[in-house]
Amino acid sequence: NLISRSKVWTPIASRPHVDLLCQFFAKQDPFSSKSLCDVLGMDLLNDTKIAIDPATGKSAYLAIPFKITERSANVFGKMHGGMSATLVDVVTSFHMGEQNLPKVTMHVTTSLSTKYISAGTVGAPMIALSQIDKMGKRLLYSSLRIIEDPSETVIDNYVAKTGTEFCPDVPSLKAFIKQYDKAIVTGSHIKMFVDVPAIKSPTQQQ
């Protein structure tokens, strides 16, 4: 509902050269891609949406909807902590890669932290919501929230309270996310660029 009810989202597949980024994840990082695709049923190319900030022309948020599966659950039927940490790692890495297009470059983790707030149950609709906090010449800082997808009732109540359309732009999306308290996991991720290019895009090859 966060994605379907807001017009701010754009399919990441519409971004030039994003197919190269997906090729990189599939070839160079098979653990990550298989963890998301096989265990959670995610499709990075077709499921991912981005919210473009007109002021910068870059994505302020990257979102991937998913449902907690039995294969991603612990013995209590809740989302496994290791799966949550993997999402923090992989989704923010994918977002960093999208931000750097048309270059597809290597970057390695220097710090990864995860905070577990509550437990999501099997079958619950969730959204992995990534935000780029800062991109320097060598270091990239990002954060991720795994949230319960807000219900139609939650969104209708928010619209009635604010008297506006639901999240028509990035500032209104930020305002909603800030007050929405249904995160089950939050995390931060710092990565460092390395000099070896991963895959050359057509732009780099010219």
Side-chain angles (χ1 to χ4, degrees):
N1 296 321
L2 177 67
I3 294 174
S4 63
R5 287 285 298 270
S6 170
K7 66 182 183 182
V8 74
W9 299 104
T10 300
I12 198 172
S14 65
R15 290 274 282 154
H17 311 305
V18 74
D19 56 320
L20 293 173
L21 186 61
C22 292
Q23 289 176 29
F24 164 72
F25 268 79
K27 183 178 180 179
Q28 304 293 337
D29 197 3
F31 169 79
S32 298
S33 58
K34 287 186 71 65
S35 294
L36 300 189
C37 296
D38 295 351
V39 179
L40 289 176
M42 283 183 172
D43 183 332
L44 289 178
L45 181 61
N46 296 307
D47 293 343
T48 305
K49 304 294 189 293
I50 50 176
I52 302 293
D53 186 346
T56 63
K58 292 184 176 294
S59 56
Y61 291 98
L62 179 146
I64 308 180
F66 69 97
K67 286 187 177 181
I68 300 174
T69 63
E70 290 186 359
R71 292 184 63 192
S72 66
N74 58 23
V75 295
F76 303 106
K78 308 295 184 180
M79 188 167 180
H80 196 286
M83 191 74 252
S84 300
T86 299
L87 279 169
V88 174
D89 182 0
V90 178
V91 175
T92 55
S93 294
F94 191 60
H95 195 183
M96 291 176 186
E98 180 272 334
Q99 285 267 312
N100 205 41
L101 289 173
K103 294 180 179 179
V104 183
T105 53
M106 295 283 286
H107 36 74
V108 294
T109 297
T110 61
S111 176
L112 180 73
S113 64
T114 306
K115 181 180 180 180
Y116 301 95
I117 302 170
S118 64
T121 57
V122 170
M126 312 297 293
I127 296 177
L129 193 63
S130 171
Q131 181 176 2
I132 301 299
D133 301 314
K134 180 181 177 181
M135 288 189 70
K137 292 183 178 180
R138 296 292 293 176
L139 294 177
L140 306 91
Y141 300 81
S142 65
S143 54
L144 184 119
R145 296 165 65 88
I146 300 175
I147 63 172
E148 297 178 10
D149 195 5
S151 66
E152 292 285 353
T153 300
V154 168
I155 292 176
D156 289 340
N157 289 342
Y158 183 79
V159 169
K161 180 180 178 180
T162 59
T164 61
E165 181 182 354
F166 180 66
C167 298
D169 50 34
V170 168
S172 60
L173 178 63
K174 286 183 178 179
F176 175 77
I177 292 171
K178 185 177 181 179
Q179 63 84 47
Y180 184 61
D181 61 353
K182 295 297 183 180
I184 66 167
V185 171
T186 61
S188 63
H189 194 190
I190 304 174
K191 303 198 79 171
M192 180 178 65
F193 281 120
V194 294
D195 294 331
V196 180
I199 299 175
K200 288 187 177 182
S201 70
T203 302
Q204 291 173 292
Q205 292 173 352
Q206 293 176 357

